Amino acid sequence: MKKVGKGDLEGALQDLSRSWPLPASELEAMIEQTRLQLPGMKERFGEVLGYEFIREDIVGTSFVRRTYIQRFERHATRWIITYYRNASGWVVNSVTFDDNLIGLFEREHQPSIKPER
């Protein structure tokens, strides 16, 4: 995430690829898509200001999901990295980033609050 915080999304994805069992063609397609999005992100959100760790969610003994934000002058993007523990150790299972900041406030396992009548 340090590279994300410096605006080096391509470098960050390359770093993650070391522990991500993703075919090289899929990784290259993801990097290319990221390259295409970067100019629009800079224009819309402004300069990168850094990143911030938001939370870690653990499911059983096999999954860990870490949520971060990439901070910009006028907005932020949410990064979710999910790790899976296989027979060899921890590997990256998925990486997503978007600007769904409302999702930062939602928790899958929170009890729902019902309005009083």
Side-chain angles (χ1 to χ4, degrees), residues 13-14 16-17 20 22-32:
L13 292 174
Q14 289 287 358
L16 284 170
S17 73
W20 195 355
L22 192 67
S25 60
E26 287 184 45
L27 179 62
E28 187 54 42
M30 180 181 250
I31 289 172
E32 185 58 32

Side-chain angles (χ1 to χ4, degrees), residues 33-92:
Q33 183 64 32
T34 301
R35 281 184 198 133
L36 294 173
Q37 293 176 353
L38 288 176
M41 289 174 65
K42 186 173 182 178
E43 184 178 320
R44 182 175 175 204
F45 302 151
E47 295 295 324
V48 175
L49 299 177
Y51 77 97
E52 181 179 337
F53 173 78
I54 300 299
R55 73 169 157 265
E56 180 176 88
D57 298 300
I58 300 171
V59 178
T61 59
S62 299
F63 285 99
V64 173
R65 179 177 63 191
R66 292 188 180 137
T67 303
Y68 301 86
I69 58 168
Q70 180 183 18
R71 299 178 61 242
F72 292 87
E73 290 175 311
R74 295 183 293 275
H75 196 51
T77 55
R78 175 179 68 157
W79 282 72
I80 300 171
I81 305 170
T82 304
Y83 300 89
Y84 171 67
R85 185 166 54 180
N86 64 19
S88 302
W90 291 98
V91 295
V92 175

